[in-house]
């Protein structure tokens, strides 16, 4: 925290030296190739439906996947756990399994129809703005924070179906209501 002035994170990132401000919540989606998508045009999926599917996700997402799918999620169904989004996107496009994650990471592929997906009911990632507690805010930093808030309101929440204004404070880090 000593080397940052501001940052945006998810899943309870941060620490005691940082002040947190919830910006928006992003739904968690299951995403895959249209040719292997087993759910038709359903509007949402139950987290338990992850069981038995070959899954792809980033390593920091594993606790959310396990919490959503329950303890019966078999380790053998994890096809790829990586931290490089390029690898995750390419493996998903190659039909290696189903991505569990933030749809913002593949929104272009969803818009093009190269991937399809649906939100997992009751699962969301809190997107949070972090600032240092021990530093007084400069005018430049305050203007940057206001520009970020405005962008989130006018561009992210208003234009993306997977982002919404944050729900009441105090929800769990995994975003359960």
């Amino acid at each position: 925290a000593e080397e940052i002035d501001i940052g945006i994170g998810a899943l309870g990132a941060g620490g005691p030296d940082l002040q947190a401000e919830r910006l928006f919540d992003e739904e968690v989606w299951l995403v895959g190739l249209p040719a292997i998508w087993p759910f038709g045009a359903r509007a949402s999926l139950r987290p338990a439906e992850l069981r038995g599917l070959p899954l792809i996700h980033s390593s920091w997402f594993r606790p959310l996947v396990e919490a959503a799918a329950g303890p019966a999620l078999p380790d053998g169904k994890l096809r790829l756990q990586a931290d490089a989004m390029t690898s995750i996107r390419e493996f998903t496009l190659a039909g290696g399994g189903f991505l569990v994650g933030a749809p913002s990471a593949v929104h272009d592929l969803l818009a093009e129809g190269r991937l399809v997906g649906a939100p997992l009911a009751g699962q969301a990632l809190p997107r949070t703005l972090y600032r240092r507690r021990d530093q007084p805010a400069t005018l430049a930093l305050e203007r940057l924070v206001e520009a970020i808030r405005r962008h989130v309101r006018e561009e992210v929440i208003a234009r993306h179906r997977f982002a919404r204004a944050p729900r009441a404070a105090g929800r769990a880090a995994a975003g359960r209501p």
Side-chain angles (χ1 to χ4, degrees), residues 117-135:
L120 296 176
Q123 302 299 310
L125 292 171
R127 299 298 190 173
T128 305
L129 178 73
Y130 295 99
R131 296 196 269 176
R132 291 176 58 173
R133 290 186 188 277
D134 64 344
Q135 295 280 330

Side-chain angles (χ1 to χ4, degrees), residues 11-100:
L11 291 180
D17 298 337
L18 298 175
Q19 172 186 343
E21 175 186 340
R22 187 87 154 264
L23 292 172
F24 66 98
D25 291 334
E26 182 173 0
E27 294 174 332
V28 175
W29 278 37
L30 183 70
V31 176
L33 286 176
I36 63 171
W37 185 252
F39 300 106
R42 295 197 15 217
S44 70
L45 305 172
R46 294 182 328 273
E49 291 178 279
L50 295 177
R51 288 190 211 120
L53 293 176
L55 299 178
I56 303 165
H57 59 76
S58 64
S59 60
W60 62 268
F61 224 83
R62 186 175 182 101
L64 184 130
V65 172
E66 290 173 343
L73 184 66
D75 283 335
K77 290 297 181 180
L78 178 61
R79 292 285 173 88
L80 177 68
Q81 179 175 295
D83 288 325
M85 200 61 219
T86 301
S87 299
I88 290 171
R89 286 169 55 105
E90 292 303 316
F91 197 71
T92 305
L93 283 169
F98 296 93
L99 169 63
V100 180

Side-chain angles (χ1 to χ4, degrees), residues 3-15:
E3 297 184 19
I4 69 161
D5 291 319
I6 193 169
I8 296 175
L11 291 180

